[in-house]
Amino acid sequence: DAGVTQSPTHLIKTRGQQVTLRCSPKSGHDTVSWYQQALGQGPQFIFQYYEEEERQRGNFPDRFSGHQFPNYSSELNVNALLLGDSALYLCASSLDRDRGRGYTFGSGTRLTVV
Amino acid sequence: EDQVTQSPEALRLQEGESSSLNCSYTVSGLRGLFWYRQDPGKGPEFLFTLYSAGEEKEKERLKATLTKKESFLHITAPKPEDSATYLCAAKKPGNQFYFGTGTSLTVIP
């Protein structure tokens, strides 16, 4: 049973560019959350998607946007990249009706902005 | 302000030397305290959920406990394969986890 799959695994972008990260949730899961993890820090909540809509958003600027597709997969888009956007971006999936189980995280996409 | 603080930041143990990791939280309307394990270059792996003060959960050499202000992750007779970063996260009503910065555990053979 495949877990959460994220692509690409690593990415280098130039300041000012735009980037799209992709996530396929664990089979049977319908909810996708995105987190940003800076080096040595805990993950910070970006937003969550359910039923193809953004359900909740953390304290991140509008440069961060996302999408969820009918097959529950999701994309995270970041525009006008800043050096401070360099981080590990984690996708986590869950089943909406079973929130107590905790999320299943992917291995992340390591984004480096130069 | 909602906050989750973990201590110590780093912990080195000899194999077999038991210890505890601390997670202090000030989160209004707590809907669960979660523990995750994170290996280098990987995403967090779910370990436990605790909901109410006095609750305990166990898995192999790990035991998690919860009070009204803190949670502890007790590690009994650790092995080198227990080396990882342990994250705690508090969940409020809604869908957001508030993570601490983690405790990096190294178990020396």
Side-chain angles (χ1 to χ4, degrees):
Chain A
D1 178 24
V4 177
T5 304
Q6 292 188 243
S7 63
T9 54
H10 295 83
L11 201 55
I12 299 175
K13 287 286 190 179
T14 303
R15 188 172 48 185
Q17 285 189 315
Q18 179 264 343
V19 69
T20 297
L21 311 182
R22 294 177 175 83
C23 171
S24 293
K26 181 178 178 179
S27 177
H29 284 182
D30 57 8
T31 304
V32 172
S33 304
W34 287 92
Y35 283 79
Q36 180 195 66
Q37 187 175 24
L39 202 60
Q41 301 297 313
Q44 299 288 317
F45 177 72
I46 302 175
F47 42 54
Q48 184 180 82
Y49 277 84
Y50 174 67
E51 293 187 338
E52 302 179 49
E53 291 193 359
E54 183 183 293
R55 179 158 67 175
Q56 189 171 351
R57 187 179 186 91
N59 189 26
F60 278 79
D62 292 345
R63 298 187 297 108
F64 290 77
S65 63
H67 190 77
Q68 185 180 35
F69 299 93
N71 66 353
Y72 307 118
S73 67
S74 178
E75 290 182 349
L76 164 65
N77 301 292
V78 187
N79 294 322
L81 285 167
L82 304 174
L83 297 180
D85 295 332
S86 295
L88 180 68
Y89 287 84
L90 294 164
C91 171
S93 74
S94 57
L95 186 60
D96 182 65
R97 68 169 187 268
D98 191 16
R99 300 183 190 184
R101 279 284 306 164
Y103 293 175
T104 300
F105 281 84
S107 293
T109 294
R110 173 70 64 186
L111 173 64
T112 302
V113 182
V114 297
Chain B
E1 181 185 350
D2 297 317
Q3 197 165 2
V4 176
T5 304
Q6 291 188 247
S7 62
E9 289 185 12
L11 183 63
R12 289 172 63 90
L13 299 173
Q14 291 292 136
E15 184 173 0
E17 178 187 3
S18 302
S19 188
S20 296
L21 282 54
N22 176 265
C23 172
S24 299
Y25 62 92
T26 52
V27 171
S28 57
L30 184 74
R31 289 294 184 267
L33 191 292
F34 292 70
W35 282 96
Y36 287 86
R37 168 189 170 132
Q38 187 172 26
D39 292 298
K42 301 288 187 182
E45 176 188 350
F46 171 72
L47 294 173
F48 304 110
T49 310
L50 302 165
Y51 289 104
S52 56
E55 188 175 359
E56 298 183 354
K57 293 272 180 76
E58 282 190 71
K59 180 180 179 180
E60 296 180 356
R61 295 177 292 282
L62 301 176
K63 183 170 80 172
T65 62
L66 183 66
T67 72
K68 288 186 177 180
K69 295 183 179 181
E70 296 176 302
S71 179
F72 294 92
L73 185 65
H74 307 278
I75 302 176
T76 302
K79 298 182 177 182
E81 53 262 42
D82 295 322
S83 298
T85 295
Y86 291 86
L87 295 162
C88 72
K91 191 168 186 290
K92 295 184 58 169
N95 308 293
Q96 181 174 349
F97 283 104
Y98 293 84
F99 279 88
T101 55
T103 293
S104 176
L105 174 66
T106 303
V107 182
I108 304 162

